[in-house]
Amino acid sequence: MSNGSEKIYVCATKNKHDLPANIIKQLREDCGDDKVVEIRSDLFNFKNGEQKPVINDSVRRKEIFLLWTIEEHVDTEILKLMFYMDALRRAGATPIRVVMPFFPYARQDKKKDREPISASMLARIYELIGADHSITTHLHNDAIEGFFFKQFDKVGTQKLFLGAIKTYWEKTYGEFNPSDWMLIFPDEGMAKQVRELSERIGAGGYGGFAKHRIRPNEVAKMEFFGSCEGKNVIIIDDMVDTGGTLAGAGKQLIELHGAKTVIAVATHGLLNGKAPQVLQESCFEKVFVTDSVHIPEEKKFDKLMTVSLAPMLAQVINKISKDESIHYENW
């Protein structure tokens, strides 16, 4: 173990999301109750919106895995993470490994006109305050890894989704054969990942869209490249926000390009605005997301299927604690 201890020390920021508790539960199942120590904390909220976390257990010279998830208000959760990191650092924790299934502001990854590169700014602030190691899942743009100067690990979700889709399809229709499916990227940023995944699993081909955006969450035109006539299709994205663009892509694949069945996959189910209604009324057979962000009951809909990240992230934490390799293709 990298800190010379036999135990794994885990601390979770406080909110309504149950993913941190599920990760800890999975760790205990995998490693044994006596090997996993949950660092207790309290979070005090003041009337004016200020937050103050208090770490209740000694963390001096301990390797801490800080589990951070987003409930609803992104900026509030970002500040909460910073306060937790600062509290842990001042209490003597080292190293602090931040497990953030969803990295916010990832869409602000490049400069256009007089705009901030917010993803870069957040990476620098996290590391300045106390993050010695950052661990996340599907990024909007892999170049974001370059914004971090300290240790950084990204684990993919493709294996989780393919397993969930295979289980659903075999339970509903029978045999699932990857060669019967075509993988689609919704914009050019996903092209390389989709192509590599298609080759790795032996899919029946891949294709994708080129988007012409007017402004955030609004697309003027989508051009499809490829041929999916008579094929089953999986369209893969990093996140689904308002759902309009993803639903429009699915509609185009069926109505204009002859796809038989379309399943949507997005690691981060933000589901803002009318997204639940839009996606429920879309042509998608199912919409698969993970629990990287908290999805309240009012955002859930019949076509939505949620895949838990807890088993994968627990395994990642276990491997890191033992100085074992995390090879991305394993995920």
Side-chain angles (χ1 to χ4, degrees), residues 2 5 10 21 24 37-38 95 118 124 141 144 179-180 212 216 260 271 275 286 294 311 324-325:
S2 56
S5 167
V10 185
I24 294 170
V37 178
E38 183 177 0
S118 304
R124 295 200 306 273
N141 181 352
I144 290 172
S179 63
D180 295 334
H212 303 276
K260 285 170 57 179
L271 304 176
K286 288 291 180 181
H294 177 62
E324 293 181 1
S325 172

Side-chain angles (χ1 to χ4, degrees), residues 7 21 66 73 223 258:
K7 297 185 183 295
L66 178 57
H73 302 293
E223 296 181 67

